[in-house]
Amino acid sequence: MANLKDIRIRIQSVGSTMQITNAMKMVSAAKLKKAQDAIEKMRPYAEKLTELLTGLSANIDAELGGDYAAQRDVNKVLLVPITSNRGLCGALNSNIIKQTLRLIENDYKSQDVEILTIGKKAYEYLSKKHQVVANHSEIFDDLTYDKVAKVAQSIMNDFVEKKYDKIVLIYNSFKNAATQIVKTEQFLPIKTEASESNVVLDYLYEPSQAEIVLELIPKSLKTQFYKSIRDAWASEHGARMTSMHKATDNAKEMKDELTLQYNKARQAVITGEILEIVSGAEALKG
Amino acid sequence: MKVDIVTPEGALFSGEVDSIVVPGINGSFEMLNNHAPIIAVLDNGDIRLKGQQITINDEVKDKFTTKQGEVILPINSGTVEMKNNHVIVLAE
């Protein structure tokens, strides 16, 4: 059995780890709330935009989407894995990295693959073996729509300039604090879906319908990109909260076990001492 | 008529106004009550709201300015839809 001092030191160290993980859990819970609010807040915008776009594009027969819908033979692929900047959030980031590697090794085996990472974790891992063209970890420092829109615009331009034939986003979609789902989403070219027209109102259009659609498509792409990043952001905090909660529980269990061990050792020492005293007294009597 | 101004980062304004001026891509135009249904693309410019009682949420107050009874919001780009006396501005 370990001696008393060793056990005491271990109890202390487990205790302070527990305090840290507990504090991290609290911080993540607060940040998760904010992240969820932000997702809620963008919903009216995203929904209205989609409504306008589907309503309008259903009315036009012409080839839609312009440059963003161009279906080319896929030779050059850009993968955009979105991870967090910090660790200690369970399997969240490794799931994204695994999925990215799977895509490189299976789906896009015969194509040229380039990677644009968002989040330090993906960059640190993927830049060792693969061609990472850019890293935009800084957008998580202060997550605003403007910053995200800039990144989105630059990859949209790359697509239009035929630098890439296909752009794929890989991110964690937020379901709840305990569950995040890895999503692989084709960002460009956009998939134009034939939808039934339900617009009965006769609108005035300024400029023409087709031009409005062309204006709306980049906006909708940016919104989609922004939503993915917001989702990844909420997932990070959800995952961290859950894993820190588990860590706190484990630490508590460990501390209880060590305390029991400590008490047993302490009792053994006391029993030993009493025995010594008693036998000493006996010896004096005799 | 009712006006909603929404951005990807949240709603900026929701309330009753008498008129709204928006920076259309072919020039600014004003919409009053019972304007015909319209969808228009907006350019860089100011949205001007006129009305008796325009209250703006404290959280986003610094984005608006007030001048001669008009409430002004500068935008980079956007889209406006009006139908049934309800204006929705998607602003960026």
mmCIF file of all heavy atoms in Angstrom, chain A residues 82-103:
data_model
loop_
_atom_site.group_PDB
_atom_site.id
_atom_site.type_symbol
_atom_site.label_atom_id
_atom_site.label_comp_id
_atom_site.label_asym_id
_atom_site.label_seq_id
_atom_site.Cartn_x
_atom_site.Cartn_y
_atom_site.Cartn_z
ATOM 1 N N ILE A 82 -13.842 21.805 -41.319
ATOM 2 C CA ILE A 82 -14.009 22.836 -40.291
ATOM 3 C C ILE A 82 -13.876 22.191 -38.911
ATOM 4 O O ILE A 82 -14.714 21.370 -38.529
ATOM 5 C CB ILE A 82 -15.378 23.525 -40.426
ATOM 6 C CG1 ILE A 82 -15.532 24.108 -41.831
ATOM 7 C CG2 ILE A 82 -15.538 24.624 -39.376
ATOM 8 C CD1 ILE A 82 -16.932 24.581 -42.145
ATOM 9 N N THR A 83 -12.807 22.515 -38.208
ATOM 10 C CA THR A 83 -12.622 21.978 -36.854
ATOM 11 C C THR A 83 -12.503 23.151 -35.885
ATOM 12 O O THR A 83 -12.614 24.296 -36.279
ATOM 13 C CB THR A 83 -11.332 21.151 -36.747
ATOM 14 O OG1 THR A 83 -10.224 22.006 -37.030
ATOM 15 C CG2 THR A 83 -11.322 19.987 -37.705
ATOM 16 N N SER A 84 -12.232 22.817 -34.618
ATOM 17 C CA SER A 84 -12.091 23.886 -33.635
ATOM 18 C C SER A 84 -10.624 24.299 -33.548
ATOM 19 O O SER A 84 -9.746 23.650 -34.094
ATOM 20 C CB SER A 84 -12.582 23.404 -32.279
ATOM 21 O OG SER A 84 -11.769 22.363 -31.832
ATOM 22 N N ASN A 85 -10.387 25.400 -32.869
ATOM 23 C CA ASN A 85 -9.015 25.845 -32.643
ATOM 24 C C ASN A 85 -8.398 25.159 -31.431
ATOM 25 O O ASN A 85 -7.198 25.092 -31.313
ATOM 26 C CB ASN A 85 -8.979 27.354 -32.408
ATOM 27 C CG ASN A 85 -8.972 28.121 -33.710
ATOM 28 O OD1 ASN A 85 -8.748 27.525 -34.770
ATOM 29 N ND2 ASN A 85 -9.197 29.401 -33.640
ATOM 30 N N ARG A 86 -9.223 24.723 -30.516
ATOM 31 C CA ARG A 86 -8.718 24.139 -29.282
ATOM 32 C C ARG A 86 -9.191 22.708 -29.133
ATOM 33 O O ARG A 86 -10.196 22.311 -29.701
ATOM 34 C CB ARG A 86 -9.197 24.969 -28.090
ATOM 35 C CG ARG A 86 -8.687 26.377 -28.158
ATOM 36 C CD ARG A 86 -8.824 27.057 -26.819
ATOM 37 N NE ARG A 86 -8.258 28.383 -26.909
ATOM 38 C CZ ARG A 86 -8.984 29.487 -27.092
ATOM 39 N NH1 ARG A 86 -10.292 29.387 -27.152
ATOM 40 N NH2 ARG A 86 -8.413 30.668 -27.183
ATOM 41 N N GLY A 87 -8.420 21.964 -28.338
ATOM 42 C CA GLY A 87 -8.742 20.563 -28.127
ATOM 43 C C GLY A 87 -9.660 20.353 -26.932
ATOM 44 O O GLY A 87 -10.467 21.210 -26.618
ATOM 45 N N LEU A 88 -9.497 19.219 -26.269
ATOM 46 C CA LEU A 88 -10.316 18.838 -25.120
ATOM 47 C C LEU A 88 -11.805 18.897 -25.433
ATOM 48 O O LEU A 88 -12.591 19.471 -24.684
ATOM 49 C CB LEU A 88 -10.008 19.728 -23.908
ATOM 50 C CG LEU A 88 -8.663 19.491 -23.225
ATOM 51 C CD1 LEU A 88 -8.496 20.420 -22.037
ATOM 52 C CD2 LEU A 88 -8.550 18.053 -22.742
ATOM 53 N N CYS A 89 -12.159 18.350 -26.588
ATOM 54 C CA CYS A 89 -13.592 18.293 -26.874
ATOM 55 C C CYS A 89 -13.942 16.934 -27.472
ATOM 56 O O CYS A 89 -14.672 16.834 -28.437
ATOM 57 C CB CYS A 89 -14.015 19.439 -27.779
ATOM 58 S SG CYS A 89 -12.912 19.747 -29.135
ATOM 59 N N GLY A 90 -13.391 15.894 -26.901
ATOM 60 C CA GLY A 90 -13.761 14.547 -27.313
ATOM 61 C C GLY A 90 -13.276 14.215 -28.711
ATOM 62 O O GLY A 90 -12.224 14.686 -29.146
ATOM 63 N N ALA A 91 -14.078 13.427 -29.420
ATOM 64 C CA ALA A 91 -13.661 12.935 -30.729
ATOM 65 C C ALA A 91 -14.060 13.879 -31.860
ATOM 66 O O ALA A 91 -13.902 13.564 -33.027
ATOM 67 C CB ALA A 91 -14.274 11.566 -30.982
ATOM 68 N N LEU A 92 -14.548 15.045 -31.479
ATOM 69 C CA LEU A 92 -15.086 16.001 -32.452
ATOM 70 C C LEU A 92 -14.153 16.247 -33.643
ATOM 71 O O LEU A 92 -14.528 16.076 -34.794
ATOM 72 C CB LEU A 92 -15.332 17.326 -31.723
ATOM 73 C CG LEU A 92 -16.143 18.368 -32.454
ATOM 74 C CD1 LEU A 92 -17.606 18.041 -32.373
ATOM 75 C CD2 LEU A 92 -15.897 19.731 -31.851
ATOM 76 N N ASN A 93 -12.910 16.656 -33.330
ATOM 77 C CA ASN A 93 -12.000 17.026 -34.410
ATOM 78 C C ASN A 93 -11.451 15.816 -35.148
ATOM 79 O O ASN A 93 -11.281 15.855 -36.361
ATOM 80 C CB ASN A 93 -10.851 17.862 -33.855
ATOM 81 C CG ASN A 93 -11.342 19.211 -33.396
ATOM 82 O OD1 ASN A 93 -12.248 19.765 -33.999
ATOM 83 N ND2 ASN A 93 -10.775 19.701 -32.315
ATOM 84 N N SER A 94 -11.189 14.750 -34.396
ATOM 85 C CA SER A 94 -10.632 13.584 -35.088
ATOM 86 C C SER A 94 -11.657 12.968 -36.034
ATOM 87 O O SER A 94 -11.293 12.408 -37.062
ATOM 88 C CB SER A 94 -10.095 12.558 -34.096
ATOM 89 O OG SER A 94 -11.119 12.091 -33.286
ATOM 90 N N ASN A 95 -12.953 13.120 -35.725
ATOM 91 C CA ASN A 95 -13.977 12.645 -36.654
ATOM 92 C C ASN A 95 -13.909 13.390 -37.985
ATOM 93 O O ASN A 95 -14.023 12.782 -39.052
ATOM 94 C CB ASN A 95 -15.375 12.850 -36.062
ATOM 95 C CG ASN A 95 -15.692 11.821 -34.999
ATOM 96 O OD1 ASN A 95 -15.020 10.799 -34.896
ATOM 97 N ND2 ASN A 95 -16.688 12.105 -34.194
ATOM 98 N N ILE A 96 -13.715 14.690 -37.896
ATOM 99 C CA ILE A 96 -13.632 15.507 -39.113
ATOM 100 C C ILE A 96 -12.384 15.117 -39.911
ATOM 101 O O ILE A 96 -12.437 14.937 -41.128
ATOM 102 C CB ILE A 96 -13.559 17.005 -38.738
ATOM 103 C CG1 ILE A 96 -14.854 17.454 -38.101
ATOM 104 C CG2 ILE A 96 -13.224 17.872 -39.949
ATOM 105 C CD1 ILE A 96 -16.018 17.504 -39.031
ATOM 106 N N ILE A 97 -11.260 14.973 -39.199
ATOM 107 C CA ILE A 97 -10.011 14.646 -39.882
ATOM 108 C C ILE A 97 -10.109 13.274 -40.543
ATOM 109 O O ILE A 97 -9.711 13.098 -41.694
ATOM 110 C CB ILE A 97 -8.831 14.729 -38.891
ATOM 111 C CG1 ILE A 97 -8.633 16.193 -38.482
ATOM 112 C CG2 ILE A 97 -7.553 14.182 -39.510
ATOM 113 C CD1 ILE A 97 -7.702 16.412 -37.330
ATOM 114 N N LYS A 98 -10.696 12.324 -39.817
ATOM 115 C CA LYS A 98 -10.870 10.979 -40.376
ATOM 116 C C LYS A 98 -11.710 11.010 -41.644
ATOM 117 O O LYS A 98 -11.384 10.378 -42.646
ATOM 118 C CB LYS A 98 -11.571 10.074 -39.348
ATOM 119 C CG LYS A 98 -10.614 9.192 -38.582
ATOM 120 C CD LYS A 98 -11.411 8.220 -37.738
ATOM 121 C CE LYS A 98 -10.996 8.300 -36.294
ATOM 122 N NZ LYS A 98 -11.988 7.756 -35.374
ATOM 123 N N GLN A 99 -12.802 11.767 -41.584
ATOM 124 C CA GLN A 99 -13.692 11.863 -42.744
ATOM 125 C C GLN A 99 -12.956 12.499 -43.931
ATOM 126 O O GLN A 99 -13.093 12.054 -45.068
ATOM 127 C CB GLN A 99 -14.939 12.669 -42.361
ATOM 128 C CG GLN A 99 -15.887 12.965 -43.504
ATOM 129 C CD GLN A 99 -16.582 11.714 -44.030
ATOM 130 O OE1 GLN A 99 -16.459 10.633 -43.464
ATOM 131 N NE2 GLN A 99 -17.286 11.859 -45.134
ATOM 132 N N THR A 100 -12.142 13.522 -43.638
ATOM 133 C CA THR A 100 -11.371 14.180 -44.697
ATOM 134 C C THR A 100 -10.413 13.188 -45.348
ATOM 135 O O THR A 100 -10.334 13.090 -46.574
ATOM 136 C CB THR A 100 -10.569 15.361 -44.115
ATOM 137 O OG1 THR A 100 -11.459 16.149 -43.320
ATOM 138 C CG2 THR A 100 -9.983 16.216 -45.210
ATOM 139 N N LEU A 101 -9.706 12.422 -44.512
ATOM 140 C CA LEU A 101 -8.762 11.443 -45.046
ATOM 141 C C LEU A 101 -9.479 10.387 -45.867
ATOM 142 O O LEU A 101 -8.996 9.956 -46.917
ATOM 143 C CB LEU A 101 -7.983 10.790 -43.906
ATOM 144 C CG LEU A 101 -7.029 11.716 -43.149
ATOM 145 C CD1 LEU A 101 -6.381 10.983 -41.998
ATOM 146 C CD2 LEU A 101 -5.981 12.300 -44.077
ATOM 147 N N ARG A 102 -10.661 9.985 -45.391
ATOM 148 C CA ARG A 102 -11.428 8.969 -46.110
ATOM 149 C C ARG A 102 -11.786 9.493 -47.505
ATOM 150 O O ARG A 102 -11.697 8.765 -48.500
ATOM 151 C CB ARG A 102 -12.689 8.618 -45.319
ATOM 152 C CG ARG A 102 -13.336 7.326 -45.785
ATOM 153 C CD ARG A 102 -14.545 6.966 -44.933
ATOM 154 N NE ARG A 102 -14.226 6.960 -43.507
ATOM 155 C CZ ARG A 102 -15.025 7.447 -42.555
ATOM 156 N NH1 ARG A 102 -16.177 7.987 -42.880
ATOM 157 N NH2 ARG A 102 -14.675 7.391 -41.289
ATOM 158 N N LEU A 103 -12.192 10.751 -47.561
ATOM 159 C CA LEU A 103 -12.547 11.333 -48.859
ATOM 160 C C LEU A 103 -11.334 11.376 -49.781
ATOM 161 O O LEU A 103 -11.434 11.076 -50.968
ATOM 162 C CB LEU A 103 -13.093 12.750 -48.680
ATOM 163 C CG LEU A 103 -14.493 12.868 -48.094
ATOM 164 C CD1 LEU A 103 -14.855 14.320 -47.856
ATOM 165 C CD2 LEU A 103 -15.524 12.234 -49.007
#
